[in-house]
Amino acid sequence: MPVFSAPDGTRLACHLHGEGEPLVILPGGPMRASAYLGNLGGLDAHRQLVLLDLRGTGESGPPADPGTYRCDRLVDDVEALRLHLGLERMDLLAHSAGGSLAMLYAARYPERVGRLALVTATPWALGWPATAGDRLTAARLRTSEPWFAEAFPAFEAWLGGTGDFDPVFLPFFYGRWDDTARAHAAREEAETNDDAADLYGAEGAYDPDATRSALARLTAHVLVLAGGVDGGPSPSLARRAAEVFPAAEFTVQPGAGHYPWLDDPEWFVRRLAAFFP
């Protein structure tokens, strides 16, 4: 487990899976330890995965200043990882909330990005959050599931602000609610730094106009992957994000939720391996 220091002295750690050319992985959550990503369905057979534990998560230490949990300030940690790896340019894959961190990094350091994959990444950094309507539209695609009747009212109430978060609707985040998904969901609370997550998108974290302007000049190839039954982001929102980049590919993984490498590992790995040769 490589350990290195952020510019402010915070101890950071990353985890290596596989061999070959490095592919840097930025986790979501926000602020969930990278362990939830596993080996991304077997992608480590094609590239060496370098999974960063963001500060205050997993094996990385907490910062002296909690304000550095803010997404834009985490960009310095990503750059510190590049320098630690000794890479002139690096390929990046970012999942979920990590997509906003990757976009801010690409906007600030465009010359350091080789290829970039955004996997089910809600484009908060672009000023386009997933809406309750997006999530409910996706949820209604699951009406034939045996758990739908109990889960949907609770999900609707939570999104409408009249109910609390309820684990009963966790199946909506997965394309297949099987034993693998249940075990994955059960680990989320222990793997997430909730205090840091509350600060990730704090005021000042994003400047959407500036970010969109910078990314419109990015020359790196970008892959935006959406899950066919994911509501955050929905395929239409992910496609809108893809249109910001001059050299972007957009793809939808059929039947996938927010964690597509769990829903159909073979499809996911085949598509990502083709993008990251």
Side-chain angles (χ1 to χ4, degrees):
M1 180 186 69
V3 175
F4 59 102
S5 292
D8 66 355
T10 301
R11 176 185 179 274
L12 300 176
C14 58
H15 305 267
L16 307 181
H17 296 284
E19 298 179 351
E21 188 176 352
L23 173 59
V24 172
I25 313 296
L26 303 182
M31 304 307 291
R32 185 171 179 180
S34 66
Y36 83 95
L37 295 158
N39 67 355
L40 287 171
L43 189 59
D44 60 338
H46 300 271
R47 297 285 293 266
Q48 181 182 63
L49 308 185
V50 182
L51 283 75
L52 175 63
D53 277 340
L54 300 177
R55 55 179 55 211
T57 72
E59 300 298 326
S60 290
D65 177 8
T68 60
Y69 286 132
R70 208 174 69 179
C71 185
D72 61 318
R73 300 184 69 179
L74 293 173
V75 169
D76 291 336
D77 293 355
V78 180
E79 176 64 358
L81 175 57
R82 183 191 67 81
L83 293 171
H84 173 74
L85 296 172
L87 297 174
E88 182 69 21
R89 303 171 76 192
M90 61 182 176
D91 290 340
L92 288 163
L93 183 154
H95 173 245
S96 189
S100 285
L101 175 56
M103 285 185 260
L104 294 185
Y105 180 83
R108 191 181 304 177
Y109 295 103
E111 73 283 1
R112 301 304 185 189
V113 178
R115 285 178 169 245
L116 168 63
L118 300 171
V119 175
T120 59
T122 300
W124 295 334
L126 304 180
W128 302 329
T131 67
D134 289 338
R135 295 186 182 278
L136 291 174
T137 296
R140 292 186 182 98
L141 298 174
R142 316 295 293 280
T143 54
S144 63
E145 302 279 1
W147 42 262
F148 179 87
E150 181 182 9
F152 186 81
F155 194 45
E156 190 173 33
W158 177 64
L159 290 171
T162 60
D164 295 328
F165 185 91
D166 190 332
V168 73
F169 55 68
L170 285 173
F172 287 124
F173 295 91
Y174 296 84
R176 299 187 305 184
W177 188 239
D178 54 14
D179 289 343
T180 298
R182 291 184 185 92
H184 188 265
R187 301 199 313 265
E188 181 172 9
E189 184 175 357
E191 292 176 342
T192 302
N193 182 334
D194 289 329
D195 291 337
D198 289 341
L199 296 170
Y200 188 82
E203 184 177 357
Y206 307 124
D207 184 343
D209 289 341
T211 301
R212 289 196 300 268
S213 178
L215 295 179
R217 300 188 297 273
L218 184 71
T219 59
H221 288 275
V222 178
L223 172 66
V224 177
L225 186 150
V229 296
D230 191 15
S234 65
S236 61
L237 181 56
R239 181 185 292 277
R240 184 183 180 194
E243 292 171 351
V244 168
F245 300 95
E249 304 173 28
F250 172 71
T251 191
V252 177
Q253 181 170 328
H258 199 58
Y259 307 95
W261 64 92
L262 297 178
D263 298 321
D264 189 340
E266 292 184 2
W267 194 103
F268 179 82
V269 169
R270 185 168 60 250
R271 185 66 182 88
L272 270 295
F275 181 71
F276 291 114

